Amino acid sequence: MSRANVDKLAELYKGELLESVIPFWEKYSIDTEHGGYFTSLDRQGRVYDTDKFVWLQARQVWTFSMLYNRLQKESRWLDIATCGADFLARHGMDKDGNWFFSLNRQGQPLVQPYNIFSDCFAAMAFSRYGLASGDKNAKDIALKTYRNILRRKDNPKGSYSKVIAETRPLKSLGLFMILANLSLEMEELLEGKELNAALDLCLSEVMNLFLDNELNILFENIAPDGSHPDCFEGRLVNPGHGIEAMWFIMEIARRSNDRDLINKTVHVILNTLDFAWDKEYGGIFYFLDAYGKPPLQLEWDQKLWWVHLEALVALTTGYYLTGRDECRQWYEMVHEYVWNHFPDPEYGEWFGYLNRWGQRLLELKGGKWKGCFHLPRALYLCYRNLVELHERAGEKDLTGTSKGN
C-alpha cells in the first residue's frame, strides 16, 4: 500500500461506501412487494433465495438508520429502513416477544427463536430506527426486546439448547460482546443506571473471564469460573470476535476516558493479530486452537470479510486513541490485504469468503450470514476515524508524518 495521506484514505472509505456498497443494496435488496429485504444476492445482485433471516433484516434496518442519523439525512435511506422495520414489526416476533430466526418471503415463520442473537440485532435496529424516524412504537419495541434479552441472558437458548449443561457448562463470548455494543447503541433510550449496569456486566465478563491474561487473547467459550476446559470448544479462539469485542470495550472505555483500559484493549488487539495472522499467505485465520492443536472447524483457515473489516475498525480507533505506531503498521498491512482481495470493482459490493491462499471461494454478495452490516459499518467507522485523525492538528497520521509537514 502506498503511503497515501489520511484525507485520501478517508475519501477512499467514504467513496466505497456511497458509490459501491450502499447503491448495491439499494438497487437489489428491497422487497417492494412484501416488505423487508432480500439478502441472498449473487455477484451481480440477482436474488437466489427469498427467505428472510431476522438478524440480517434487523442489521439492514440498523445500517440505513445509522447512516441517516450519523452521515447524512438522505430521505431514501430512512424509507429503506422503514421498509424493513415495518416488515419486522408485523412478522418478526412470536406471541411472547421473542424474535424468530428466519421467515419466508411473505413473513411466515420458518425457524423458531432458538437463541437471542436475532433479538439483539432487532433491539439495535429499532433503537436506531426510532431515533431516526421519531417512531415511539419503534423505541418501545427496542426497550422491550432489550429487557427480554437481559432476562434471558443466563440461558439464551432455553429449551432449544442441545447441550447438557450440567456435564460441561460453558459461557460464550458472543452474547456479552454483542450486549456491550447493543447497550452503547441504545444509550439514548436507556436510563443511566440501567446502561451502566449492563456495561459493567460486559466489562467484567469480557475482561475478567474471557480474556486470558497469560496469552492475552480472548477465548470463545469458557467455564463459568473463567477456566478453559481441555476440549475443542474450550480451546477455541475466534480472532474476529476477539478483535471486535476489544473495539466495543474500547468505546466503553472512551466514554469514561479510562486510558488504562483503552491501552489494554489495544494490546489485546495487537496480540490477537500477531497470533492469528497467516504469516505465509497473509490475512487473518477464521478459527484457531489457543494451544496449537487441530481446530474442530474445517473452515479454520479461510479468510472472511468481516474479520478483516473489524480489524480495520479496531486499528484505526486504537491509533486515534493511543497513537501507538504498531496500530499504524498493522493497519497498513491489513488495509493492503483487504483492498487487494475483497472489493468487486466490476459489480460493486465485496466478496466475503476466501480460501487460505486468498482465492475466492464464493462469489455471493449476501446469503444466510452475509448481509448489509459489517461492510458498511466498517467503511463508515474507518472514514470517521480517519477524518478525526486528519482534523487533530499536530498529531501524526497513519502515514507516519506530521500533519504540519
Side-chain angles (χ1 to χ4, degrees), residues 131-171:
L131 294 170
S133 65
D135 184 343
K136 182 180 182 302
N137 184 56
K139 298 176 184 178
D140 291 342
I141 291 173
L143 286 169
K144 180 181 178 181
T145 302
Y146 181 78
R147 288 163 185 157
N148 197 28
I149 293 166
L150 294 179
R151 180 180 61 81
R152 296 174 58 196
K153 64 178 171 49
D154 294 328
N155 187 21
K157 291 191 176 182
S159 62
Y160 298 107
S161 177
K162 298 181 292 185
V163 174
I164 300 174
E166 293 79 8
T167 304
R168 184 186 288 152
L170 291 174
K171 300 169 69 170

Side-chain angles (χ1 to χ4, degrees), residues 303-376:
K303 313 294 172 58
L304 270 67
W305 88 108
W306 72 267
V307 175
H308 295 76
L309 289 166
E310 297 308 320
L312 288 175
V313 174
L315 290 165
T316 54
T317 306
Y319 187 75
Y320 175 74
L321 293 177
T322 70
R324 288 185 62 171
D325 197 54
E326 300 99 317
C327 289
R328 179 186 64 81
Q329 294 170 8
W330 268 110
Y331 164 80
E332 291 183 348
M333 188 153 52
V334 178
H335 172 97
E336 182 176 13
Y337 185 89
V338 165
W339 288 87
N340 283 334
H341 289 86
F342 291 106
D344 182 1
E346 186 173 357
Y347 293 106
E349 238 279 344
W350 286 21
F351 303 109
Y353 303 90
L354 311 176
N355 64 18
R356 182 177 181 183
W357 301 273
Q359 300 161 327
R360 293 197 296 271
L361 285 170
L362 297 168
E363 294 203 335
L364 60 80
K365 298 298 174 56
K368 186 176 182 178
W369 311 113
K370 184 180 189 294
C372 184
F373 180 67
H374 282 286
L375 177 54

Side-chain angles (χ1 to χ4, degrees), residues 201-340:
L201 169 68
C202 296
L203 278 174
S204 177
E205 292 285 329
V206 173
M207 303 305 292
N208 297 332
L209 293 179
F210 288 94
L211 176 62
D212 184 280
N213 287 313
E214 291 185 9
L215 298 176
N216 255 316
I217 55 176
L218 284 97
F219 281 66
E220 188 72 6
N221 305 294
I222 57 170
D225 64 358
S227 61
H228 310 307
D230 188 14
C231 61
F232 285 120
E233 293 83 1
R235 299 190 303 265
L236 179 64
V237 175
N238 181 333
H241 270 181
I243 293 167
E244 188 178 12
M246 285 298 92
W247 78 253
F248 292 164
I249 299 299
M250 201 187 307
E251 291 295 344
I252 296 175
R254 194 206 297 235
R255 293 177 73 250
S256 57
N257 196 30
D258 187 336
R259 306 304 303 178
D260 289 339
L261 182 55
I262 289 171
N263 284 319
K264 187 171 185 178
T265 61
V266 170
H267 185 59
V268 174
I269 290 164
L270 296 173
N271 195 67
T272 302
L273 285 167
D274 187 60
F275 175 75
W277 186 260
D278 185 343
K279 296 173 178 60
E280 187 171 359
Y281 298 104
I284 304 166
F285 287 122
Y286 190 15
F287 293 109
L288 290 169
D289 185 284
Y291 303 109
K293 298 179 181 180
L296 174 65
Q297 292 78 8
L298 300 180
E299 68 274 24
W300 70 272
D301 63 350
Q302 291 179 15
K303 313 294 172 58
L304 270 67
W305 88 108
W306 72 267
V307 175
H308 295 76
L309 289 166
E310 297 308 320
L312 288 175
V313 174
L315 290 165
T316 54
T317 306
Y319 187 75
Y320 175 74
L321 293 177
T322 70
R324 288 185 62 171
D325 197 54
E326 300 99 317
C327 289
R328 179 186 64 81
Q329 294 170 8
W330 268 110
Y331 164 80
E332 291 183 348
M333 188 153 52
V334 178
H335 172 97
E336 182 176 13
Y337 185 89
V338 165
W339 288 87
N340 283 334

Side-chain angles (χ1 to χ4, degrees), residues 92-111:
M93 290 176 281
D94 68 11
K95 59 182 177 59
D96 297 318
N98 302 312
W99 292 83
F100 296 110
F101 178 77
S102 64
L103 315 167
N104 67 12
R105 181 183 177 184
Q106 293 75 23
Q108 296 168 309
L110 290 171
V111 178

